Amino acid sequence: MDENIPVYEVTDANTRLIHIGSFGDLWRERLQNCDLTLAEKDDCLMENSDVAQDLGCSEETAAELRLICGVDALKCSENEEADPENIPEDPSLLTLGIRKKILDRRRETLIIERACRQETFLHELEFHAVGKRPEDAADMVDEGELVLTLNIVYPVIFRKHKEYKPYQTVLVLGSQKLTELRDAINCVSDLQIGGEFSNNPDLAPENICKDLYKSAFFHFEGVFYNDMRDPQCRDISRTTIEWAESRDRGYEKFQSAKMEDYTFNDLRLKIGYPYLYCHQGDCEHVITVTDIRLIHHEDCLDRTLYPLLKKRHWFWTRKCSVCLMYTARWVTVNDSLAPDDPCFFCDVCFKMLHYDTDGNKLGEFLAHPYVDPGIFN
Ligand SMILES: [Zn+2]
Ligand SMILES: [Zn+2]
């Protein structure tokens, strides 16, 4: 068997090492144009005679099968058109029964707004790209392109998630550069503003960490892929490499490379194996490839939308502890005016409580700009 066909190395956990591009080649060699084409579906529908030949049955049987098993058979007839909000008592369909229960519970418990917001969010995420074809033909995804599903785990960013680390799921194309994935990973660490500004809060710089500290790397299979696109970028993997080499610590020899020089097709990876993305010095995210497949004609075929976000954990926003309405923008510590330590405020309440009308500081406290993870919702 070809070494690039994935087989388990650890059962139900991860595969052996495969070269991504070669794995794609194996598929493309075996499949026919009809399987690979990204043309609209009807152009590639099988004839009854082909179905009959494939299944070894008569053409009449094939035609009957198509009628009974076709997608049209799944739709309800026109006079029983379903209304997703108004479900009849005693629905015969199990799924409708479940939906009815959820709707009833929601009506009773008044969590409508919150639940709806999350639902809308997930719905929008799912539908902004489904089946999308590019307006400009030049942005069309190539036939036979690989699609990798990646899970990106967030570092522990607040106490609430100590045990449960939220994550995002993205799809990348095999021919995309590692830097394209890096640019698509949203993390609050990139948006932080460092410093203490209690004496002059208006001076909190506009500069976010992403613009100040541009270095980052992925670590796949003993190689650190450093983002070196900007002259300010540094090879932040060097310390680790030198540490590993300074003594015999039992590690294989680590290497470093430029993130911008590699696509996913160039990599050798294990599916299911935890790898690392590190940025802002010590913000570390575990990255796992959970699936690799060929692009399908019903996928989003607009290249410019990849890496494509498929799923993201919903963050609860931290509200201002005074008005309980707006998202927190400031966090104070050792605050003689605040009930909690640390305490969170929106911009208006923070300034109203801590400064007089001339902008003079009242009381003792330290103030840091705060970036809420909820902004990604
Ligand atoms: Zn991060
Ligand atoms: Zn407020």
Side-chain angles (χ1 to χ4, degrees):
M1 190 166 75
D2 192 287
E3 57 172 351
N4 289 310
I5 294 176
V7 287
Y8 275 121
E9 179 181 64
V10 179
T11 311
D12 292 337
N14 65 271
T15 68
R16 283 185 211 284
L17 210 54
I18 56 161
H19 181 262
I20 308 295
S22 311
F23 178 40
D25 289 339
L26 290 173
W27 263 328
R28 288 183 288 263
E29 281 161 19
R30 282 163 176 75
L31 293 169
Q32 296 169 4
N33 275 352
C34 169
D35 303 313
L36 293 174
T37 182
L38 298 177
E40 306 272 359
K41 200 175 173 185
D42 289 348
D43 305 347
C44 191
L45 208 60
M46 282 175 92
E47 294 293 330
N48 282 346
S49 53
D50 294 332
V51 177
Q53 203 179 355
D54 271 9
L55 297 178
C57 62
S58 69
E59 265 187 54
E60 292 89 77
T61 317
E64 194 183 344
L65 275 175
R66 169 164 287 171
L67 207 64
I68 298 169
C69 305
V71 178
D72 285 337
L74 293 173
K75 295 178 179 155
C76 26
S77 64
E78 268 173 32
N79 49 8
E80 52 172 336
E81 197 65 63
D83 172 4
E85 293 301 321
N86 241 328
I87 297 164
E89 294 295 329
D90 255 342
S92 52
L93 261 182
L94 187 64
T95 47
L96 278 183
I98 294 170
R99 184 166 174 84
K100 184 167 170 52
K101 253 189 216 156
I102 292 175
L103 285 177
D104 289 348
R105 195 171 61 220
R106 196 178 289 169
R107 280 183 192 121
E108 282 163 20
T109 52
L110 283 174
I111 50 167
I112 296 169
E113 199 207 345
R114 191 178 278 176
C116 285
R117 262 168 56 211
Q118 272 192 57
E119 229 168 59
T120 318
F121 164 74
L122 290 174
H123 192 267
E124 277 173 6
L125 205 59
E126 195 177 338
F127 283 90
H128 91 280
V130 155
K132 202 159 194 176
R133 286 167 181 265
E135 280 168 25
D136 183 348
D139 294 331
M140 182 77 175
V141 173
D142 291 336
E143 262 177 33
E145 176 79 87
L146 285 185
V147 183
L148 290 83
T149 308
L150 303 179
N151 266 358
I152 300 160
V153 179
Y154 289 111
V156 178
I157 43 180
F158 22 59
R159 184 171 302 167
K160 193 173 145 199
H161 289 121
K162 245 194 180 128
E163 277 101 49
Y164 176 64
K165 297 178 191 175
Y167 64 91
Q168 69 183 56
T169 303
V170 294
L171 302 181
V172 288
L173 302 173
S175 63
Q176 286 192 297
K177 289 185 174 173
L178 303 189
T179 38
E180 293 180 67
L181 172 65
R182 146 134 167 94
D183 293 340
I185 298 177
N186 290 322
C187 174
V188 274
S189 308
D190 280 331
L191 306 178
Q192 300 301 323
I193 301 161
E196 195 282 310
F197 295 94
S198 61
N199 288 320
N200 32 22
D202 293 331
L203 286 187
E206 298 288 300
N207 282 351
I208 53 171
C209 285
K210 197 176 193 170
D211 301 326
L212 292 176
Y213 312 107
K214 302 184 178 186
S215 310
F217 66 75
F218 288 108
H219 182 249
F220 296 119
E221 295 299 327
V223 185
F224 290 93
Y225 295 89
N226 286 287
D227 186 348
M228 300 299 276
R229 286 172 294 175
D230 193 277
Q232 290 174 33
C233 287
R234 294 182 9 222
D235 174 353
I236 53 171
S237 67
R238 181 176 290 174
T239 339
T240 315
I241 295 177
E242 286 173 358
W243 172 84
E245 285 174 355
S246 65
R247 197 168 340 145
D248 183 14
R249 296 183 195 269
Y251 293 108
E252 57 188 310
K253 196 165 165 41
F254 290 128
Q255 291 166 3
S256 73
K258 286 183 181 170
M259 196 192 282
E260 57 271 34
D261 290 349
Y262 287 84
T263 67
F264 285 89
N265 281 333
D266 298 328
L267 300 181
R268 289 166 59 78
L269 291 177
K270 296 174 179 178
I271 303 169
Y273 194 83
Y275 294 108
L276 182 68
Y277 166 61
C278 177
H279 68 134
Q280 296 305 329
D282 63 353
C283 191
E284 299 179 345
H285 303 244
V286 168
I287 289 197
T288 317
V289 178
T290 56
D291 187 37
I292 302 178
R293 62 178 176 84
L294 283 177
I295 191 95
H296 185 260
H297 64 81
E298 284 178 0
D299 277 315
C300 165
L301 298 178
D302 186 343
R303 252 199 110 76
T304 60
L305 293 178
Y306 288 89
L308 181 65
L309 188 60
K310 284 300 283 180
K311 198 156 78 181
R312 188 172 53 208
H313 180 87
W314 171 270
F315 291 106
W316 298 115
T317 47
R318 197 187 282 275
K319 296 283 189 297
C320 166
S321 48
V322 177
C323 62
L324 302 178
M325 194 154 85
Y326 295 110
T327 307
R329 290 268 316 274
W330 290 92
V331 54
T332 61
V333 284
N334 299 332
D335 189 342
S336 54
L337 300 169
D340 301 317
D341 192 24
C343 196
F344 295 84
F345 301 93
C346 72
D347 201 47
V348 174
C349 297
F350 168 71
K351 287 180 179 158
M352 218 187 267
L353 181 66
H354 292 92
Y355 300 90
D356 65 19
T357 44
D358 300 321
N360 298 309
K361 183 175 168 181
L362 306 170
E364 284 303 314
F365 61 94
L366 297 174
H368 304 273
Y370 173 76
V371 182
D372 193 278
I375 56 165
F376 291 129
N377 297 339

